Amino acid sequence: MAEVNNWQLGRTMQYPYPENRPRRQIAWVFDTNKCIACQTCTIACKSTWTWGSGQEYMLWNNVETKPFGFFPVGWDVELMNVLGPAKWTGGKLESQTIFEGLPAGERVKGWLPAEEDWASPNIGEDEPVGVAQQGSYIPSMPHNEMWFSYLARICNHCTYPGCVAACPRQAIYKRPEDGIVLVDQSRCRGYQECAQGCPYKKVMFNNNTRTSEKCIACFPKIEQGLQPQCVTSCIGRIRIAGFISPPGQVNPQNPIDYLVKVKKVALPLYPQAGTEPNVYYIPPMHAGRDYLHQMFGPGSDEAIKTYQNTKNDPELLGLMMLFGSTERIMHRFRVEGETAIGMDENGAELVRVPVREPSWVRTYFDEVRGAYNHNIT
Amino acid sequence: MTTDNSMDRRTFIQAAGALAAGGALAIGVATYVAMRPGAADKLVAHRHSGALPIDNPNADAWLDLDHFPVTMLMQQITTPHPSELAVPELWVRAMHNGTDIAFHLEWGDTDVNDMDKMVAFRDSVAVQLPVAEETDATAPKTSVTMGLAPVAAQGTTPATPGQTVHILHWKASWQYDVDKGRRTVKDLFPNMYNDVTPEGLLGEANSLVFYPGVFAGNSMSARERKSPIEELIASGFGSLTTHEKQQANGKGVNEKGRWRVVLSVPMDSGDATKAKVRAGTSIPVAFAAWNGTKQNRGARKQYANWVPMEVEA
Ligand code: SF4
Ligand code: SF4
């Protein structure tokens, strides 16, 4: 075991391999507040990569309803069982990760979901906590008594992948050029140790080829400077993919750094697992806060406060408007007055969008036509 | 350690006595076991004239040989470990005809696992031979831990050469592939529905890229299987690699709660990366076994230390 630095935990931790960060690390930000669970991302991924026989229930991208939806069933409940409640002091994790306090003979604290757990990808869809009473209404945020929210999930291309730690034959590797985590299809022998070790259950067994497979971050697109399919197909424009600076470095013009490190509005999912996941979420502002603390760590209250103030923050607002505005990877952005501009690696302009879309408010009653008007957003 | 049904002769006589006294349980199993000679006190690869009976693990030529009982251990040298000792003992028989050498391995397993699918693991068994010639079969220099990786100081080429082992690995799922044809997803999950497949839309040749394991030439994914046995080489844990020259063959059957598996390979393949077995010598052999029900796979296995084996002249 090596001692490695996990910035998301505010401490070092045990990991089977020494710290060896990629030259650059691909990362995503998902705004859960804007997701409508249309599953366009899921289908974009599936129809690109996993439509072969043997991959029928293999969804590298899935969107689940929280708290009662999961794919596979109960995956994060099980993770909580394995880890116990996360204990944070300030920004430091006091409890143990999946790599620490291991049972004898194990490489990570893991579990294998049962076959049937993979058979209901959209179980629990739109099921809220709480019960609506006659005349119930929701007066304010958060909706503590009754809520559900959507969680779009892909492989986190973790800095300290549980799958890499679990594989006894080093058949899974993290690419030095972009941090993408891949299963070497010529070396995998189908042990499914990775499926057991990934806390997010994002490695899956192909029943036809008898090897394990996982999200490849659409690397052929990334290599061409394009964002992955799930990002560019997103109807809600909730996603952005780019490169995050290493710990200790911040580039405020880099969209990912700005959201994760400057504004701290986007947070890792279940950081207490210790894998340093690289998908960052803007937490759902209406969801139960205790739940969010468990799910996104101690920064969730502040992140929501920042998010709720977006309308008063032209830079943040401008960047939010740039989500889903270009297929290309946006390395930099700036906001000039009422315009947000996205740029490529060389500073060349990729796209410009208005910070505020023009809007018209129609009168309640149209005198000419004698009809009532609706205003839609 | 012995399993319940791997009793030796004396135990069988006692058991037979109990049966005669009125207990009529398990007559089938007891008779099945008792029809054979007893345990050998050393492992010998007997000289056999003519073709080796590699297609029939139940052949008299095999069962007339004394079996050599090998005590198996839980693999606890490297992680991950198995959760319990699932295969406590292997019975080993061996013969050769000067050209090929074959091993006959037998162990108790009442629950056949012959599928490779999600959350399901196959039964399997392996024979390991050192690639380098060992002068003393009782004290081999090659590590039993699947050989040893070459040792090098950081940034230098290895000063200590690695040790390579040659492994014959029989898999129950591959036996099924050979006997009955590779299971489709529909065979594994009868209610599975797939409305469009890459091969349906693009044709076989153009669809291969959507089967990455097949495309990469992974032996796990091979669509045509001629042998249930894979030949591999390794230099230490995690280094197991399919040998590019596959020459092994054999057969495994499970009857009455026992696996009997024959694994055969040329004694001299003409390949320096494989073990060479010479008649009239003694060589070290090691074994491993996996029980699918107990989720055994990879390092979650039972293994046996090197056993010296006399190869009859
Ligand atoms: S496409 Fe976008 S909005 Fe639709 S489910 Fe996926 S992440 Fe949510
Ligand atoms: S999310 Fe799972 S599969 Fe993806 S890199 Fe992390 S541990 Fe591996």
Side-chain angles (χ1 to χ4, degrees):
Chain A
M1 281 283 182
E3 183 100 356
V4 298
N5 171 43
N6 183 327
W7 74 270
Q8 296 174 354
L9 308 184
R11 67 169 172 88
T12 58
M13 63 163 205
Q14 300 291 304
Y15 188 68
Y17 303 104
E19 184 164 346
N20 183 15
R21 287 178 187 270
R23 290 198 288 282
R24 58 182 184 177
Q25 174 65 57
I26 188 78
W28 292 256
V29 172
F30 292 1
D31 181 357
T32 61
N33 296 283
K34 292 193 292 193
C35 177
I36 55 170
C38 62
Q39 308 283 1
T40 310
C41 47
T42 308
I43 297 305
C45 175
K46 185 131 195 73
S47 56
T48 306
W49 299 118
T50 63
W51 58 298
S53 163
Q55 300 174 317
E56 283 81 353
Y57 278 74
M58 190 184 282
L59 299 169
W60 292 349
N61 182 104
N62 79 290
V63 182
E64 56 200 45
T65 301
K66 286 296 167 208
F68 296 131
F70 332 78
F71 178 68
V73 173
W75 72 269
D76 52 352
V77 177
E78 207 60 58
L79 177 61
M80 293 298 98
N81 283 341
V82 164
L83 289 175
K87 288 193 207 80
W88 298 88
T89 312
K92 186 174 168 206
L93 183 77
E94 304 290 350
S95 47
Q96 287 180 325
T97 67
I98 59 164
F99 309 112
E100 296 166 323
L102 292 176
E106 294 300 322
R107 299 170 69 90
V108 296
K109 287 182 212 154
W111 77 98
L112 262 181
E115 186 184 299
E116 55 272 25
D117 292 341
W118 296 98
S120 311
N122 209 6
I123 198 169
E125 185 186 18
D126 290 2
E127 267 181 47
V129 294
V131 180
Q133 304 298 332
Q134 186 79 31
S136 280
Y137 72 109
I138 299 170
S140 59
M141 296 277 188
H143 305 167
N144 277 324
E145 276 159 35
M146 203 180 162
W147 62 272
F148 68 79
S149 69
Y150 298 128
L151 186 70
R153 303 205 304 117
I154 59 171
C155 162
N156 292 286
H157 295 275
C158 306
T159 305
Y160 303 112
C163 56
V164 168
C167 178
R169 11 191 310 106
Q170 288 102 49
I172 310 186
Y173 61 103
K174 192 166 171 65
R175 304 211 304 186
E177 61 268 40
D178 49 22
I180 294 174
V181 176
L182 296 174
V183 180
D184 180 340
Q185 289 298 320
S186 62
R187 280 191 50 73
C188 174
R189 290 184 67 82
Y191 297 161
Q192 304 176 51
E193 294 289 350
C194 49
Q196 183 161 333
C198 168
Y200 303 96
K201 298 302 148 212
K202 279 296 174 189
V203 198
M204 299 152 202
F205 188 72
N206 183 320
N207 291 298
N208 178 304
T209 64
R210 306 179 184 176
T211 56
S212 294
E213 297 177 357
K214 61 178 289 303
C215 161
I216 58 172
C218 293
F219 69 80
K221 288 190 81 182
I222 301 237
E223 286 168 3
Q224 296 173 49
L226 301 174
Q227 300 186 79
Q229 295 290 74
C230 61
V231 175
T232 54
S233 70
C234 175
I235 301 294
R237 294 169 57 179
I238 82 151
R239 302 183 177 211
I240 189 168
F243 294 97
I244 190 169
S245 299
Q249 293 176 32
V250 188
N251 173 3
Q253 291 181 321
N254 168 340
I256 306 287
D257 277 12
Y258 183 79
L259 295 164
V260 174
K261 300 186 177 196
V262 178
K263 288 291 166 178
K264 299 185 168 59
V265 69
L267 304 167
L269 176 64
Y270 295 114
Q272 61 267 44
T275 65
E276 210 188 282
N278 286 299
V279 178
Y280 295 86
Y281 291 87
I282 303 179
M285 56 186 174
H286 62 287
R289 292 293 155 85
D290 286 350
Y291 193 82
L292 297 185
H293 295 162
Q294 213 37 244
M295 202 152 145
F296 299 111
S300 50
D301 289 338
E302 275 305 307
I304 288 173
K305 234 189 258 170
T306 307
Y307 185 71
Q308 285 177 317
N309 190 42
T310 306
K311 62 180 185 297
N312 304 317
D313 184 337
E315 208 171 23
L316 181 56
L317 182 59
L319 178 53
M320 298 301 304
M321 296 304 287
L322 283 166
F323 275 49
S325 65
T326 170
E327 190 174 20
R328 300 206 68 81
I329 295 174
M330 207 185 293
H331 290 257
R332 279 186 250 167
F333 81 104
R334 67 173 191 275
V335 175
E336 282 173 7
E338 281 301 302
T339 306
I341 302 158
M343 289 158 284
D344 72 8
E345 211 162 355
N346 307 315
E349 184 175 319
L350 289 172
V351 65
R352 55 174 60 212
V353 297
V355 172
R356 273 167 242 272
E357 302 257 353
S359 60
W360 288 268
V361 178
R362 302 193 294 185
T363 55
Y364 178 57
F365 187 71
D366 184 334
E367 301 281 353
V368 178
R369 292 172 189 83
Y372 291 95
N373 281 325
H374 279 291
N375 280 303
I376 54 168
T377 52
Chain B
M1 234 180 276
T2 53
T3 49
D4 287 348
N5 48 11
S6 64
M7 55 182 79
D8 61 22
R9 250 192 198 137
R10 203 187 54 198
T11 335
F12 173 68
I13 291 164
Q14 287 166 352
L19 282 172
L25 289 171
I27 293 175
V29 171
T31 317
Y32 183 71
V33 172
M35 307 247 306
R36 297 192 221 130
D41 55 6
K42 61 181 179 182
L43 178 57
V44 178
H46 301 272
R47 168 72 78 164
H48 182 90
S49 60
L52 300 176
I54 63 168
D55 291 335
N56 183 9
N58 290 327
D60 288 344
W62 283 118
L63 302 183
D64 287 347
L65 297 177
D66 286 352
H67 67 266
F68 181 75
V70 173
T71 300
M72 306 298 285
L73 307 166
M74 274 167 77
Q75 190 292 116
Q76 292 179 321
I77 305 167
T78 187
T79 52
H81 299 178
S83 54
E84 62 189 275
L85 185 69
V87 185
E89 190 179 71
L90 272 187
W91 285 5
V92 183
R93 300 170 171 98
M95 57 171 91
H96 77 91
N97 59 8
T99 310
D100 295 309
I101 181 158
F103 297 86
H104 182 281
L105 307 178
E106 177 174 343
W107 72 101
D109 187 347
T110 51
D111 184 13
V112 172
N113 299 93
D114 59 5
M115 282 188 204
D116 285 316
K117 70 169 189 175
M118 62 196 300
V119 211
F121 302 95
R122 58 181 170 250
D123 299 327
S124 52
V125 77
V127 176
Q128 174 177 289
L129 304 162
V131 170
E133 206 165 319
E134 295 282 354
T135 44
D136 184 356
T138 60
K141 293 199 179 69
T142 306
S143 168
V144 77
T145 59
M146 291 168 66
L148 208 62
V151 181
Q154 214 166 9
T156 65
T157 41
T160 317
Q163 308 161 349
T164 316
V165 290
H166 179 191
I167 290 169
L168 311 176
H169 190 238
W170 172 90
K171 305 168 188 66
S173 51
W174 287 27
Q175 188 67 58
Y176 187 97
D177 292 348
V178 171
D179 294 348
K180 300 179 189 159
R182 195 178 166 89
R183 284 187 179 93
T184 64
V185 169
K186 203 81 184 154
D187 297 325
L188 297 169
F189 305 94
N191 296 323
M192 187 71 82
Y193 181 72
N194 189 332
D195 55 354
V196 58
T197 57
E199 54 277 24
L201 212 60
L202 308 171
E204 281 296 332
N206 294 330
S207 67
L208 268 195
V209 69
F210 292 100
Y211 296 91
V214 181
F215 191 79
N218 191 319
S219 61
M220 299 292 127
S221 315
R223 288 181 167 167
E224 296 295 323
R225 191 118 29 228
K226 293 194 189 75
S227 167
I229 295 157
E230 184 177 20
E231 279 187 87
L232 304 114
I233 45 172
S235 314
F237 291 128
S239 67
L240 191 66
T241 304
T242 307
H243 200 287
E244 55 193 19
K245 198 163 157 193
Q246 294 293 314
Q247 298 169 294
N249 216 329
K251 172 133 181 127
V253 291
N254 188 298
E255 283 168 19
K256 302 188 177 78
R258 291 180 76 75
W259 276 115
R260 283 177 181 163
V261 177
V262 176
L263 306 94
S264 161
V265 73
M267 294 169 81
D268 183 0
S269 64
D271 188 316
T273 58
K274 290 189 185 181
K276 197 168 177 175
V277 181
R278 281 182 235 273
T281 64
S282 190
I283 60 164
V285 200
F287 304 94
W290 292 260
N291 179 311
T293 312
K294 303 296 179 193
Q295 302 208 328
N296 282 181
R297 75 278 196 188
R300 298 187 200 267
K301 68 181 174 189
Q302 287 59 224
Y303 81 105
N305 210 335
W306 293 119
V307 178
M309 179 177 77
E310 276 179 39
V311 186
E312 275 183 0

